Amino acid sequence: MLIVENLHASVDGTDILKGLSLTVNPGEVHAIMGPNGSGKSTLGHVLAGRPGYTVTAGSATFLGQNLLDLETEERARLGLFLAFQYPVEIPGVSNMEFLKAAVDAQREQRGEKPIDAVTFMKNARENCKAVDLDPAFLKRGVNEGFSGGEKKRNELLQMLLLQPRLGILDETDSGLDIDALQVVARGVNSMRSADRAFVMVTHYQRLLDFIEPDFVHVLAGGRIVRSGDKSLALELEARGYAWLEDEVA
Amino acid sequence: MSQENIDHAISREYSAGFVSNIESDTLPPGLDEDVIRFISTQKKEPEWLLEWRLEAYRGWQNMAEPGWAHVHYPPIDLNGVSFYSSPKSMKDGPKSLDEVDPDLLAMYEKLGIPLHEQEMLAGVAVDAVFDSVSVATTFRGKLADAGVIFCPISEAVHSHPELVRKYLGTVVPRKDNYYAALNSAVFSDGSFVYIPKGVRCPMELSTYFRINEAKTGQFERTLIIADEGSHVSYLEGCTAPMRDDNQLHAAVVELVALDGAQIKYSTVQNWYPGDAKGRGGIYNFVTKRGVAHRDSKISWTQVETGSAVTWKYPSCILRGDNSVGEFYSVALTNNFQQADTGTKMIHLGKNTRSTIISKGISAGQSSNAYRGLVRMSPKATGARNYTQCDSLLIGDRCAAHTFPYIESRNPSAVVEHEATTSKVSDDQLYLCQQRGLNAEKAVSMIVNGFCKEVFKELPMEFAVEAGKLLEVSLEGSVG
Ligand SMILES: Nc1ncnc2c1ncn2[C@@H]1O[C@H](COP(=O)(O)OP(=O)(O)OP(=O)(O)O)[C@@H](O)[C@H]1O
Ligand SMILES: [Mg+2]
C-alpha cells in the first residue's frame, strides 16, 4: 500500500530525512518510535505533501501511485490521512462545515454528489459519541479554543468520518488522559480492516497495549534504524534509545 | 413561483424592453449648463428641478475632488464623459453571447446565472417574445395595494412631485461633496420608494429592481422615505458582474426614516474590478446617507467585491431620540483593487445607538481601508456605539488599513472600538488540503467564516449568492 524507499527530505535547507525506507501493507499497523527531533513528524508531513518540505532523493508510492507527484489534496483524496501532532485552529469556520467540506471533497473524488445535510449530521453526531466529544463541538470553530486533548479527539473524529485507506497518527496519544487513550484505541481498532493500514507515531508503549502493532520501528537521525515486533517497544521502554543511537553511530 | 422563474420571466420582459427602445441622441462629451438644461428637457422635468440641478452644478464648479481617501488613480477627465446617452441603443452591443468576453461568461457560469439573465447582463440584444403576464406588473399591483410607491425617480418627479420636492437633497445636500454635487447636477435615474404610515412593505424591494437597475446609468439617484412606523427592506445590486462602458460611477442614496420607521438597505456591489493586471475597472464614488428620526432604525448592509476603486461611506444621522443605526460591511479586494469604505454614525438624539461591523478582506496586491467616524454630539446623552473592525489578509502583497475617528462631546456617551487583523495562514491551508479541500475552496471557506456576522444580516437569497460571489472573486488569490 505504501512503499517508501531511501527517502531524503529537507526543510528550509536542513536535511531531516536521510535515507528512510518503510513498507506498509494493507491490514497492518506500524508503530514508529524515536527520540525527539528524529524526523517522525517530518515523515508524516512529507508523505502528506506539506508545502515547504522538499524531497531530495528516494521515492514513495501509495496505492501504486507516485505519491511525490501528487498535490496535497490529491493525496488526501486517495485516502491518505494525517492526524496532526499540533492541530491548528481555523476561527470562524465551524467544525461541522469543515468536516462536511472534507467529506464532500472525498465524495467528489469518487464522482458522488455532496452528502445531504441530514445524513451527515447523523454520522457526525454518532462519531462524536464514539470519540467522546460533546456534539456542541461541531458548532464551534475548527479547533478554536479546544483543549489539547479535545483537539486530538477532533483529529480522530475527522479520521472516523473520512475513513481513509492509510491513517498516519502523529502522537495522537500524547497529552491524553487514560480514558481518552482508550477512546483513541477503540476508534482505531474499530477501523482496522484488511484493506486499511495505520502508521502510529508514539512515544509510549502504553498505546501499544491497546492497539497491537504488527511492526515497531525506531526512527533516529532521519532513518529507520531498527524494526521489530511489539517486543521492541517493550525493550525501548526499558532501555531508552541511547543504545540504538550508539549502534548506529 | 421560484426565484429562478421570477428572474427568468423578468429578464424576458426586460430584454423585450430593449427591442422596443427608441434610439435617441447621445450628447457629445463635456459638461456645462446647456448640458444640464438638455438633460432636464429630455426628461420633461419641472422648472424647480432644473433650477435645483443648476444650483448643484454651480456649487460643484467651485469644488475640488477629495484627496483624503486611501486610493490612487489617474485623474478622471470629465470632459471625456458624455452626460446623456439614454435610452441606450443595443445595436452596438454584442449580437450574441459568442461575442462576449469569455472571462465574463466563465464568471456567470460559476455564479449559476441563467442564460437569459446572462444575455441581459452582458448587454446582448435579444429578440424575446414579450411576456404579457409580466411579473413586474404583478409586483407593482401588490405594492400599490399596500400603498407603497416604488418607481423610477424620474417618474416620481411627475407622479409624486410633492414628495420628491420635499425630501430630495435633504439628507445629502446638493453641495455635500464633489461627487454628490456632480450627481445632483446630472443624475440620470434611480429608484424612488415611499412607504406610507404604519405599512410593512409586503416584499423585499429587490427582484424587480435587480433587473431594472441595469438601465439606471452612471449617476444614479435613489430616495427612500419610510413614513412613521413603516418598515421596508431594499436590495440594491446584483452578484453578477455587469458590463458597463462608463468608468465613473457617482451615485447618491438618501434614506429618510420618520418616527418609528425601519429601513434595511442591503447592497451587493460587483462592478467590473479591472483585469488581473489592474487595467480598466469602474471607479465607484458613492454617497449614501440616512436620517433616522425618533425611535427609528436604519440598517446598512453591504458586500463590496467589485470596482477598481471604491469610495463609499453609508452613514446614519441619528437625529431622533432612541434611534438606531447599523452598518454591516464586507469589502473584498483582490488583484489591484482599492477600497476605502466605512461609515459615519452621527449621534444627535438622546439614547441613540449604533453598531458597526466591518470585515475587510485583502488579497493579491490590493489595498483595503476602513474609515469610520463616530460622533457623539453634546445632546446625545446616553448614546452608545460599538465598532468592530476586522481585517483578513490573504498572501503578503496586500494591505489593510483602519482609520477610526471618534469625536465624543458628551461625557455620558459610550464608544467601544475593537479591531483585529489576521492572516489566512499556510498551516490552515495545509490542514484543509490534507483533508482533501483544494486551496481555493479552503480560502473561500475561511473567508466565509470570517464574514459570517455580516452575511447573517443579508436577506436569505442574497446571503447564499454573496458567499458564492466571494469564492469567485477570490479566484487566483492563492497558489
Ligand atoms: N523549518 C525547519 N527548519 C529547520 N529545521 C527544522 C524545521 N522544521 C523542523 N526542523 C527540524 O527537523 C527535525 C525533525 O523534526 P520533527 O518534527 O520531524 O521531529 P519529531 O521526530 O517529530 O520530534 P518529536 O518527537 O519531538 O515530535 C527537528 O530537529 C526539527 O527541529
Ligand atoms: Mg513530532
Side-chain angles (χ1 to χ4, degrees):
Chain A
M1 166 177 276
L2 176 71
I3 302 165
V4 179
E5 273 170 351
N6 189 33
L7 195 65
H8 289 252
S10 65
V11 187
D12 290 340
T14 311
D15 292 332
I16 316 250
L17 298 185
K18 301 166 184 167
L20 185 145
S21 299
L22 176 70
T23 299
V24 178
N25 294 305
E28 294 176 351
V29 173
H30 292 242
I32 295 187
M33 307 183 80
N36 293 134
S38 57
K40 302 183 297 297
S41 294
T42 304
L43 173 63
H45 290 314
V46 168
L47 294 177
R50 181 178 190 162
Y53 286 62
T54 318
V55 173
T56 50
S59 67
T61 56
F62 176 55
L63 297 171
Q65 296 208 39
N66 180 356
L67 200 58
L68 306 177
D69 272 353
L70 300 176
E71 299 291 341
T72 310
E73 64 267 27
E74 292 171 332
R75 302 179 192 195
R77 289 170 179 216
L78 262 187
L80 186 149
F81 180 94
L82 173 62
F84 294 94
Q85 184 176 3
Y86 304 111
V88 297
E89 305 190 356
I90 312 181
V93 175
S94 78
N95 215 8
M96 179 141 57
E97 187 184 346
F98 174 72
L99 290 168
K100 185 168 187 306
V103 168
D104 285 342
Q106 307 269 336
R107 293 172 66 97
E108 188 185 324
Q109 176 79 8
R110 297 192 297 261
E112 295 169 21
K113 281 197 299 213
I115 189 167
D116 74 278
V118 178
T119 312
F120 175 75
M121 270 308 293
K122 204 169 142 268
N123 283 350
R125 285 225 187 81
E126 270 165 20
N127 284 303
C128 273
K129 206 176 283 170
V131 303
D132 206 13
L133 261 187
D134 191 312
F137 279 87
L138 293 171
K139 291 197 184 126
R140 286 173 55 178
V142 177
N143 294 323
E144 196 178 356
F146 289 21
S147 77
E150 288 162 355
K151 283 182 182 168
K152 295 294 174 74
R153 290 176 210 219
N154 201 34
E155 294 294 290
L156 191 66
L157 172 65
Q158 293 167 42
M159 186 169 77
L160 286 169
L161 280 168
L162 291 173
Q163 296 283 312
R165 299 291 303 277
L166 174 66
I168 304 170
L169 284 74
D170 192 354
E171 296 199 28
T172 305
D173 58 326
S174 291
L176 290 187
D177 59 45
I178 193 73
D179 291 343
L181 194 67
Q182 303 247 27
V183 164
V184 170
R186 238 186 293 134
V188 172
N189 286 330
S190 75
M191 283 179 68
R192 284 181 81 158
S193 76
D195 59 359
R196 182 172 290 134
F198 292 93
V199 172
M200 298 190 307
V201 174
T202 183
H203 286 295
Y204 305 106
Q205 148 65 26
R206 61 173 189 173
L207 177 71
L208 308 180
D209 287 339
F210 299 115
I211 308 171
E212 203 169 307
D214 301 296
F215 301 93
V216 175
H217 310 275
V218 178
L219 205 167
R223 296 168 44 205
I224 304 264
V225 295
R226 176 73 60 107
S227 298
D229 61 15
K230 60 183 174 176
S231 65
L232 177 57
L234 291 169
E235 193 175 356
L236 292 169
E237 184 100 325
R239 298 177 65 187
Y241 295 114
W243 60 280
L244 271 173
E245 283 171 338
D246 289 348
E247 259 180 34
V248 176
Chain B
M1 184 184 257
S2 77
Q3 188 56 44
E4 204 177 311
N5 288 337
I6 293 172
D7 289 351
H8 181 78
I10 294 172
S11 64
R12 284 173 66 184
E13 194 231 3
Y14 185 76
S15 322
F18 279 141
V19 181
S20 61
N21 266 344
I22 304 143
E23 269 192 70
S24 89
D25 296 335
T26 296
L27 272 190
L31 184 57
D32 58 26
E33 293 203 3
D34 286 342
V35 168
I36 292 167
R37 286 201 173 84
F38 179 83
I39 294 172
S40 196
T41 311
Q42 286 294 312
K43 292 172 167 294
K44 303 191 175 59
E45 285 177 354
E47 185 62 25
W48 68 264
L49 190 51
L50 172 61
E51 279 311 313
W52 195 88
R53 287 179 180 272
L54 288 171
E55 182 59 28
Y57 173 69
R58 287 168 200 142
W60 175 76
Q61 281 181 304
N62 298 318
M63 298 171 87
E65 229 178 305
W68 42 262
H70 198 88
V71 293
H72 306 276
Y73 52 90
I76 299 166
D77 179 18
L78 289 175
N79 289 320
V81 173
S82 171
F83 287 85
Y84 186 84
S85 61
S86 145
K88 206 166 181 176
S89 162
M90 280 295 117
K91 267 197 193 153
D92 307 329
K95 302 275 177 294
S96 76
L97 282 177
D98 296 342
E99 291 176 30
V100 174
D101 180 0
D103 286 350
L104 198 64
L105 291 181
M107 189 146 182
Y108 291 157
E109 217 44 68
K110 285 173 199 146
L111 287 167
I113 294 167
L115 205 66
H116 261 77
E117 209 172 319
Q118 289 189 22
E119 290 176 329
M120 188 273 299
L121 291 163
V124 174
V126 241
D127 286 314
V129 184
F130 187 77
D131 183 356
S132 59
V133 194
S134 138
V135 178
T137 311
T138 320
F139 281 175
R140 282 204 168 201
K142 222 169 154 188
L143 290 173
D145 288 346
V148 171
I149 303 166
F150 180 34
C151 65
I153 197 162
S154 58
E155 198 180 308
V157 165
H158 299 288
S159 56
H160 303 279
E162 68 303 334
L163 282 171
V164 177
R165 200 167 179 181
K166 182 169 173 194
Y167 289 105
L168 188 71
T170 58
V171 185
V172 178
R174 273 174 289 183
K175 295 169 199 169
D176 186 79
N177 67 69
Y178 182 83
Y179 299 113
L182 180 61
N183 176 288
S184 300
V186 302
F187 71 89
S188 31
D189 212 337
S191 289
F192 176 82
V193 176
Y194 173 78
I195 317 289
K197 269 186 201 171
V199 168
R200 264 175 198 270
C201 188
M203 65 186 73
E204 307 260 358
L205 297 182
S206 64
T207 346
Y208 166 68
F209 181 66
R210 200 168 133 187
I211 301 304
N212 234 32
E213 178 194 40
K215 283 195 282 196
T216 50
Q218 63 187 132
F219 299 103
E220 212 175 309
R221 181 119 200 160
T222 294
L223 175 59
I224 300 178
I225 302 146
D227 212 328
E228 293 173 17
S230 68
H231 287 231
V232 61
S233 169
Y234 184 92
L235 290 175
E236 172 204 324
C238 184
T239 49
M242 298 233 199
R243 191 184 78 109
D244 196 309
D245 302 327
N246 300 313
Q247 191 168 37
L248 174 66
H249 280 246
V252 171
V253 175
E254 298 180 280
L255 309 183
V256 180
L258 295 174
D259 291 358
Q262 297 199 6
I263 301 178
K264 185 175 174 61
Y265 192 106
S266 313
T267 308
V268 171
Q269 185 267 120
N270 189 21
W271 294 107
Y272 181 54
D275 65 16
K277 297 215 171 70
R279 286 174 305 221
I282 302 283
Y283 296 169
N284 195 24
F285 304 112
V286 185
T287 307
K288 288 183 165 172
R289 193 176 303 154
V291 171
H293 291 265
R294 205 159 44 80
D295 301 321
S296 72
K297 175 171 164 183
I298 290 179
S299 182
W300 298 100
T301 307
Q302 60 173 26
V303 177
E304 300 275 326
T305 59
S307 298
V309 179
T310 300
W311 179 100
K312 179 176 172 188
Y313 316 91
S315 305
C316 297
I317 298 171
L318 303 172
R319 178 171 295 159
D321 294 350
N322 313 316
S323 58
V324 176
E326 293 174 340
F327 175 72
Y328 300 99
S329 169
V330 166
L332 179 147
T333 53
N334 196 0
N335 296 320
F336 289 87
Q337 283 177 278
Q338 308 173 62
D340 192 300
T341 182
T343 185
K344 285 189 249 177
M345 293 291 174
I346 312 292
H347 292 252
L348 301 176
K350 290 193 192 62
N351 299 319
T352 45
R353 279 168 292 145
S354 63
T355 304
I356 299 171
I357 310 281
S358 161
K359 304 278 181 178
I361 302 143
S362 335
Q365 301 185 46
S366 66
S367 159
N368 201 324
Y370 167 81
R371 186 182 304 277
L373 167 68
V374 177
R375 178 183 293 154
M376 300 296 185
S377 76
K379 285 184 185 150
T381 305
R384 291 203 307 273
N385 161 265
Y386 173 74
T387 300
Q388 183 189 325
C389 207
D390 300 322
S391 308
L392 183 68
L393 303 174
I394 300 169
D396 46 21
R397 289 177 304 168
C398 54
H401 311 272
T402 307
F403 305 101
Y405 305 91
I406 297 167
E407 296 170 14
S408 185
R409 290 193 284 151
N410 186 309
S412 73
V414 181
V415 180
E416 277 179 87
H417 181 95
E418 283 175 28
T420 65
T421 301
S422 50
K423 248 194 95 157
V424 176
S425 77
D426 292 345
D427 285 351
Q428 289 172 335
L429 288 182
Y430 172 48
L431 165 61
C432 293
Q433 287 174 284
Q434 209 307 298
R435 298 303 184 246
L437 309 184
N438 64 35
E440 279 175 355
K441 172 73 192 157
V443 166
S444 94
M445 191 175 69
I446 293 169
V447 167
N448 268 296
F450 176 75
C451 299
K452 220 175 259 169
E453 283 159 283
V454 174
F455 284 176
K456 76 175 168 39
E457 297 298 326
L458 286 172
M460 258 299 275
E461 143 206 5
F462 252 30
V464 177
E465 290 184 18
K468 237 194 291 177
L469 176 59
L470 287 195
E471 189 168 332
V472 174
S473 304
L474 278 169
E475 265 176 23
S477 67
V478 283

